[in-house]
Amino acid sequence: MDRIPMKVTRLKKRNMDEAGILGLLGRADVGQIATVDADGMPYAVPVCFVYDDGRIYFHCALAGKKLDNIRANPSVCFSVFELLGIGASPDEPCKSWTYFRSAVATGTARILDGDEKRRPLRLLMEKYAKSRPVAEIPDDSVGRTCVVEVTIGEVSGKMNEKKG
């Protein structure tokens, strides 16, 4: 796979390197997919997903708003967030802190057809089965499940980790 273009965030000291971004995409359980409808209205929803070789895959019902939006405009944004800690000083309300890791990817979504769905569905099942064996996915399950592939065009990562 070619390297994914990395975007440097505005606050350079918060940038996450490629290994950190790919690690986060590999371990995060839920991400947000953002689409835009035909009238330009944004729409973001959480999805269970799997990252594999420059692509993000998620499954959903065969019909719905995010699919309508993807058909109208395949440009999407995908994000994941890992909260490491959060707090505020009760004595000084404006002194707050958040420790986190996040990644944002932009790219192009494509709705997969037929047997194209099998491999991503297997990858999804293996991810969420947490190393337990996964049975073969029945044809009727593949047929009644939509799978979307997002080819990442650019990705950035940001973090604020507790020191020491």
Side-chain angles (χ1 to χ4, degrees):
M1 184 210 100
D2 294 331
R3 291 184 64 136
I4 300 170
M6 304 290 291
K7 182 178 180 186
V8 176
T9 61
R10 179 186 51 80
L11 192 56
K12 290 179 179 51
K13 72 179 186 177
R14 298 273 187 251
N15 273 313
M16 191 183 318
D17 64 14
E18 183 177 16
I21 293 169
L22 297 181
L24 179 56
L25 286 171
R27 73 178 168 273
D29 286 327
V30 178
Q32 294 274 338
I33 187 75
T35 61
V36 178
D37 70 17
D39 296 324
M41 184 62 65
Y43 179 69
V45 293
V47 292
C48 293
F49 75 98
V50 65
Y51 170 80
D52 183 58
D53 197 27
R55 290 176 172 77
I56 294 163
Y57 298 96
F58 64 89
H59 73 292
C60 57
L62 294 173
K65 185 173 180 121
K66 70 180 161 291
L67 295 177
D68 292 343
N69 291 354
I70 288 167
R71 288 182 187 102
N73 180 352
S75 295
V76 297
C77 185
F78 183 84
S79 66
V80 292
F81 185 84
E82 187 172 50
L83 183 62
L84 306 173
I86 190 167
S89 170
D91 300 325
E92 298 178 67
C94 291
K95 286 197 176 183
S96 63
W97 50 267
T98 305
Y99 297 121
F100 67 93
R101 293 182 197 106
S102 65
V104 176
T106 56
T108 305
R110 182 173 74 92
I111 299 166
L112 301 182
D113 291 319
D115 281 340
E116 285 184 296
K117 299 189 280 185
R118 286 194 179 278
R119 183 173 176 281
L121 283 172
R122 170 153 295 284
L123 292 172
L124 281 160
M125 296 305 301
E126 289 170 352
K127 175 181 178 177
Y128 292 102
K130 307 283 186 201
S131 302
R132 293 187 314 262
V134 176
E136 191 61 36
I137 302 168
D139 289 343
D140 64 325
S141 293
V142 173
R144 68 175 179 262
T145 304
C146 182
V147 177
V148 177
E149 172 189 81
V150 176
T151 301
I152 298 173
E154 184 176 79
V155 67
S156 65
K158 194 171 164 182
M159 65 181 178
N160 184 24
E161 297 178 317
K162 187 175 182 178
K163 307 288 189 258

